CSV table of all heavy atoms in Angstrom, one decimal:
chain,number,residue,atom,x,y,z
A,170,VAL,N,-10.5,-12.1,5.8
A,170,VAL,CA,-10.4,-10.6,5.9
A,170,VAL,C,-9.8,-10.2,7.2
A,170,VAL,O,-10.3,-10.5,8.3
A,170,VAL,CB,-11.8,-10.0,5.7
A,170,VAL,CG1,-11.7,-8.5,5.7
A,170,VAL,CG2,-12.5,-10.5,4.5
A,193,PHE,N,-6.3,-11.2,3.5
A,193,PHE,CA,-6.4,-9.8,3.1
A,193,PHE,C,-6.1,-9.0,4.3
A,193,PHE,O,-6.9,-9.1,5.3
A,193,PHE,CB,-7.7,-9.5,2.5
A,193,PHE,CG,-7.9,-8.1,2.1
A,193,PHE,CD1,-7.6,-7.7,0.8
A,193,PHE,CD2,-8.4,-7.2,3.0
A,193,PHE,CE1,-7.8,-6.3,0.5
A,193,PHE,CE2,-8.6,-5.8,2.7
A,193,PHE,CZ,-8.3,-5.4,1.4
A,194,ASP,N,-5.0,-8.3,4.3
A,194,ASP,CA,-4.7,-7.5,5.6
A,194,ASP,C,-3.8,-6.4,5.2
A,194,ASP,O,-3.3,-6.2,4.1
A,194,ASP,CB,-4.0,-8.5,6.6
A,194,ASP,CG,-4.3,-8.0,8.0
A,194,ASP,OD1,-4.1,-6.9,8.4
A,194,ASP,OD2,-4.7,-8.9,8.8
A,195,LEU,N,-3.5,-5.6,6.2
A,195,LEU,CA,-2.6,-4.4,6.0
A,195,LEU,C,-1.2,-4.9,5.6
A,195,LEU,O,-0.7,-6.0,6.0
A,195,LEU,CB,-2.5,-3.6,7.3
A,195,LEU,CG,-3.9,-3.0,7.7
A,195,LEU,CD1,-3.8,-2.4,9.2
A,195,LEU,CD2,-4.3,-1.9,6.8
A,196,PRO,N,-0.4,-4.1,4.9
A,196,PRO,CA,0.9,-4.5,4.3
A,196,PRO,C,1.9,-5.0,5.4
A,196,PRO,O,2.7,-5.9,5.1
A,196,PRO,CB,1.4,-3.3,3.6
A,196,PRO,CG,0.3,-2.3,3.5
A,196,PRO,CD,-0.8,-2.7,4.4
A,218,ALA,N,-2.9,-10.8,0.2
A,218,ALA,CA,-3.3,-9.7,-0.5
A,218,ALA,C,-3.2,-8.5,0.4
A,218,ALA,O,-4.0,-8.4,1.4
A,218,ALA,CB,-4.7,-9.8,-1.1
A,219,ALA,N,-2.3,-7.5,0.1
A,219,ALA,CA,-2.2,-6.3,0.9
A,219,ALA,C,-3.3,-5.4,0.6
A,219,ALA,O,-3.6,-5.1,-0.6
A,219,ALA,CB,-0.8,-5.7,0.7
A,220,GLY,N,-4.0,-4.8,1.6
A,220,GLY,CA,-5.0,-3.9,1.3
A,220,GLY,C,-5.6,-3.3,2.6
A,220,GLY,O,-5.2,-3.7,3.7
A,221,ASP,N,-6.5,-2.3,2.3
A,221,ASP,CA,-7.1,-1.6,3.4
A,221,ASP,C,-8.6,-1.8,3.2
A,221,ASP,O,-9.2,-1.4,2.2
A,221,ASP,CB,-6.8,-0.1,3.4
A,221,ASP,CG,-7.5,0.7,4.4
A,221,ASP,OD1,-8.6,0.2,4.9
A,221,ASP,OD2,-7.1,1.8,4.7
A,222,PHE,N,-9.3,-2.5,4.2
A,222,PHE,CA,-10.7,-2.9,3.9
A,222,PHE,C,-11.6,-1.7,3.9
A,222,PHE,O,-12.8,-1.9,3.6
A,222,PHE,CB,-11.1,-4.1,4.7
A,222,PHE,CG,-10.9,-4.1,6.2
A,222,PHE,CD1,-11.2,-3.0,7.0
A,222,PHE,CD2,-10.4,-5.2,6.8
A,222,PHE,CE1,-11.1,-3.0,8.4
A,222,PHE,CE2,-10.3,-5.3,8.2
A,222,PHE,CZ,-10.6,-4.1,9.0
A,223,PHE,N,-11.1,-0.5,4.3
A,223,PHE,CA,-12.0,0.6,4.2
A,223,PHE,C,-11.9,1.3,2.8
A,223,PHE,O,-12.8,2.0,2.3
A,223,PHE,CB,-11.6,1.7,5.2
A,223,PHE,CG,-11.9,1.1,6.6
A,223,PHE,CD1,-10.9,1.1,7.6
A,223,PHE,CD2,-13.2,0.6,6.9
A,223,PHE,CE1,-11.2,0.6,8.9
A,223,PHE,CE2,-13.5,0.1,8.2
A,223,PHE,CZ,-12.5,0.1,9.1
A,224,ARG,N,-10.7,1.1,2.1
A,224,ARG,CA,-10.5,1.8,0.8
A,224,ARG,C,-10.6,0.8,-0.3
A,224,ARG,O,-11.0,1.2,-1.4
A,224,ARG,CB,-9.1,2.4,0.8
A,224,ARG,CG,-9.0,3.6,1.8
A,224,ARG,CD,-8.0,4.5,1.2
A,224,ARG,NE,-6.7,3.9,0.9
A,224,ARG,CZ,-5.6,3.9,1.6
A,224,ARG,NH1,-5.5,4.7,2.6
A,224,ARG,NH2,-4.5,3.3,1.2
A,225,ASP,N,-10.2,-0.4,-0.2
A,225,ASP,CA,-10.1,-1.4,-1.3
A,225,ASP,C,-11.3,-2.3,-1.3
A,225,ASP,O,-11.8,-2.7,-0.3
A,225,ASP,CB,-8.8,-2.2,-1.2
A,225,ASP,CG,-7.6,-1.2,-1.1
A,225,ASP,OD1,-7.6,-0.3,-1.9
A,225,ASP,OD2,-6.8,-1.4,-0.2
A,226,PRO,N,-11.7,-2.8,-2.5
A,226,PRO,CA,-12.6,-3.9,-2.6
A,226,PRO,C,-12.0,-5.2,-2.0
A,226,PRO,O,-10.8,-5.3,-2.0
A,226,PRO,CB,-13.0,-4.1,-4.1
A,226,PRO,CG,-11.8,-3.4,-4.8
A,226,PRO,CD,-11.2,-2.4,-3.9
A,227,LEU,N,-12.8,-6.1,-1.6
A,227,LEU,CA,-12.3,-7.4,-1.1
A,227,LEU,C,-12.1,-8.4,-2.2
A,227,LEU,O,-12.9,-8.3,-3.1
A,227,LEU,CB,-13.2,-8.0,0.0
A,227,LEU,CG,-13.5,-7.1,1.2
A,227,LEU,CD1,-14.5,-7.8,2.2
A,227,LEU,CD2,-12.1,-6.8,2.0
A,242,TRP,N,-15.0,-2.6,15.5
A,242,TRP,CA,-15.7,-1.4,14.9
A,242,TRP,C,-17.1,-1.2,15.3
A,242,TRP,O,-17.7,-2.2,15.8
A,242,TRP,CB,-15.6,-1.6,13.3
A,242,TRP,CG,-14.2,-1.9,12.9
A,242,TRP,CD1,-13.6,-3.1,12.5
A,242,TRP,CD2,-13.1,-1.0,12.8
A,242,TRP,NE1,-12.3,-3.0,12.2
A,242,TRP,CE2,-11.9,-1.7,12.4
A,242,TRP,CE3,-12.9,0.4,13.1
A,242,TRP,CZ2,-10.7,-1.1,12.3
A,242,TRP,CZ3,-11.7,1.0,13.0
A,242,TRP,CH2,-10.6,0.3,12.5
A,250,LEU,N,-18.5,-3.1,6.1
A,250,LEU,CA,-17.6,-4.2,5.8
A,250,LEU,C,-18.3,-5.4,5.3
A,250,LEU,O,-17.9,-6.1,4.4
A,250,LEU,CB,-16.8,-4.5,7.0
A,250,LEU,CG,-15.7,-3.5,7.5
A,250,LEU,CD1,-15.0,-3.9,8.8
A,250,LEU,CD2,-14.7,-3.3,6.4
A,253,LYS,N,-19.4,-5.1,1.8
A,253,LYS,CA,-18.3,-5.4,0.9
A,253,LYS,C,-18.1,-6.9,0.7
A,253,LYS,O,-17.8,-7.4,-0.3
A,253,LYS,CB,-17.0,-4.8,1.4
A,253,LYS,CG,-16.8,-3.3,1.1
A,253,LYS,CD,-15.3,-2.9,1.4
A,253,LYS,CE,-15.1,-1.5,0.9
A,253,LYS,NZ,-13.7,-1.1,1.0
Side-chain angles (χ1 to χ4, degrees):
V170 183
F193 176 91
D194 209 309
L195 297 169
D221 176 340
F222 50 47
F223 295 125
R224 289 211 310 254
D225 304 313
L227 301 177
W242 307 104
L250 290 177
K253 276 193 170 185

